[in-house]
Amino acid sequence: MGVLAFIMMRSTRNILAGLIIIGLVSCLGIKSVDKMTYIGNFKERQYDFFESFRHNQHKDFYYELPFELKFGGIRPFPIDSTGKKDYSWLRKSENLKIAFNAFSTIGLDKFVSKDKYFENNNDWCCDTEWENKSLNEIVIGFIESDTTIKGTDYFSKFWERRRLENNLTETYQIFVQIDRFYNHNKQNAATHLTDTVLIGLLDFDTKLIHSDSIAYTRNVIDYFDYLKSVGLDYSAYKLINDNPILILDKNIRDSLIMTMRYDTLSYKDWITLDDNMSGWITGDYYPDSNRNYGP
């Protein structure tokens, strides 16, 4: 082989290698851009309790609850006037036990501190029996009320709604256990009715709500991994990508997003998909103007 031919062949190999490298880099670049440009069809499992719970990070919302407990309304029916489920999951007696066991496992005072529990306030809406009362007074009021009569006072109507929903006994026992915890320092006994995913989600939410700026970032990344592990990939995406509280380096955020499974879709196509719209962190609240909100 002549020297010229050898040089040309070597040059050709170098050019080919260069093209391959450029091609690979281009592919990776496009994938990265696509990941940022396209929302994608992220996996988002629909857990039954999503109908009654959703994530909320606002510290001034329902005291310090890091989620919205959507167990309200005077209508003991499974469907509200908008055609959506009316807190049906939480109205079932076994699910009430599951939910309360989740709160107790994490610690009731992680959701409502003892100071807040005994603090009088005027935040209750619409001339209710609760005006200027503490949660302690309200709970004791329910415990001491007569659950057996059909009267016109608030407590009687409350217990009648619980009777219609077949959860009166469970609701009463929850009030008793709350009182035991805050007034007698007695921890509630755990039951076999548990939901490990609900406990995990609430546990991470309470960690976020009580984190300082340094711990918050670390807990968000752990939460991100947990959300993916339980099939809530889109909630994981929203947690790190649309979180005004989070301060995260773009490279770290992009590297986290690149670990996610997705199908590339345009935003126009994605927005029509229902499975990404009602997750733990992605679910929207739906107000029903024909309902009088309250337990």
Side-chain angles (χ1 to χ4, degrees):
M1 180 184 295
V3 175
L4 181 59
F6 174 78
I7 294 174
M8 289 182 64
M9 185 174 68
R10 187 171 181 178
S11 298
T12 301
R13 285 204 304 266
N14 290 340
I15 293 171
L16 180 59
L19 290 174
I20 291 173
I21 292 171
I22 292 172
L24 288 173
V25 171
S26 298
C27 289
L28 292 173
I30 291 171
K31 185 176 182 181
S32 178
V33 170
D34 281 349
K35 183 72 77 167
M36 300 302 107
T37 303
Y38 295 96
I39 299 296
N41 180 21
F42 291 115
K43 181 180 180 181
E44 189 76 350
R45 178 175 174 180
Q46 294 302 293
Y47 289 94
D48 291 340
F49 56 78
F50 284 167
E51 186 272 330
S52 295
F53 294 96
R54 73 175 182 136
H55 162 94
N56 196 305
Q57 290 194 73
H58 299 298
K59 291 185 178 181
D60 58 349
F61 193 84
Y62 285 102
Y63 293 101
E64 296 178 357
L65 298 181
F67 63 93
E68 181 184 347
L69 174 57
K70 300 196 320 186
F71 182 42
I74 63 173
R75 299 178 60 217
F77 302 108
I79 302 295
D80 69 12
S81 67
T82 69
K84 293 183 178 291
K85 287 184 178 180
D86 195 31
Y87 318 136
S88 303
W89 184 87
L90 197 55
R91 292 182 187 278
K92 295 179 180 178
S93 58
E94 285 200 355
N95 293 339
L96 270 173
K97 293 178 183 178
I98 289 172
F100 188 70
N101 186 67
F103 306 147
S104 297
T105 299
I106 298 167
L108 297 181
D109 51 350
K110 294 285 186 64
F111 300 94
V112 178
S113 69
K114 291 193 174 184
D115 288 341
K116 287 292 185 181
Y117 185 78
F118 292 101
E119 179 184 277
N120 286 13
N121 72 85
N122 288 309
D123 295 337
W124 311 112
C125 175
C126 312
D127 299 319
T128 68
E129 297 284 336
W130 304 351
E131 293 294 338
N132 199 33
K133 290 183 178 180
S134 66
L135 281 173
N136 179 59
E137 291 175 289
I138 293 169
V139 169
I140 290 176
F142 280 114
I143 293 173
E144 295 179 348
S145 64
D146 192 333
T147 64
T148 63
I149 62 174
K150 292 185 178 182
T152 57
D153 65 291
Y154 178 82
F155 291 112
S156 297
K157 290 188 286 186
F158 173 88
W159 291 120
E160 178 60 20
R161 291 193 290 273
R162 304 293 81 83
R163 254 188 301 276
L164 291 172
E165 296 167 359
N166 296 313
N167 59 30
L168 187 151
T169 301
E170 290 75 20
T171 303
Y172 187 85
Q173 287 302 317
I174 286 173
F175 283 132
V176 171
Q177 291 182 70
I178 291 173
D179 179 67
R180 283 164 54 88
F181 178 83
Y182 284 99
N183 283 299
H184 305 287
N185 295 316
K186 293 184 177 180
Q187 185 68 37
N188 304 300
T191 70
H192 68 283
L193 294 171
T194 59
D195 189 308
T196 56
V197 174
L198 178 59
I199 291 172
L201 293 171
L202 293 177
D203 185 38
F204 270 109
D205 264 8
T206 55
K207 286 178 181 177
L208 292 191
I209 210 73
H210 297 298
S211 295
D212 57 27
S213 57
I214 297 175
Y216 186 87
T217 300
R218 182 177 65 251
N219 287 332
V220 162
I221 294 175
D222 290 341
Y223 199 177
F224 172 85
D225 290 333
Y226 179 75
L227 288 167
K228 289 196 303 174
S229 75
V230 295
L232 299 176
D233 290 58
Y234 186 54
S235 283
Y237 172 81
K238 294 286 283 188
L239 178 68
I240 64 169
N241 197 65
D242 298 335
N243 185 349
I245 303 175
L246 178 65
I247 301 175
L248 193 64
D249 181 81
K250 182 181 183 299
N251 291 330
I252 296 176
R253 179 183 286 108
D254 289 355
S255 67
L256 290 172
I257 294 174
M258 290 299 294
T259 68
M260 303 179 67
R261 294 163 293 176
Y262 75 107
D263 295 323
T264 304
L265 294 173
S266 68
Y267 180 77
K268 180 180 178 181
D269 292 332
W270 171 86
I271 200 66
T272 62
L273 297 173
D274 293 332
D275 59 342
N276 279 343
M277 300 299 289
S278 55
W280 176 249
I281 295 179
T282 63
D284 290 325
Y285 177 65
Y286 57 89
D288 179 3
S289 59
N290 296 317
R291 292 183 62 234
N292 180 14
Y293 288 86

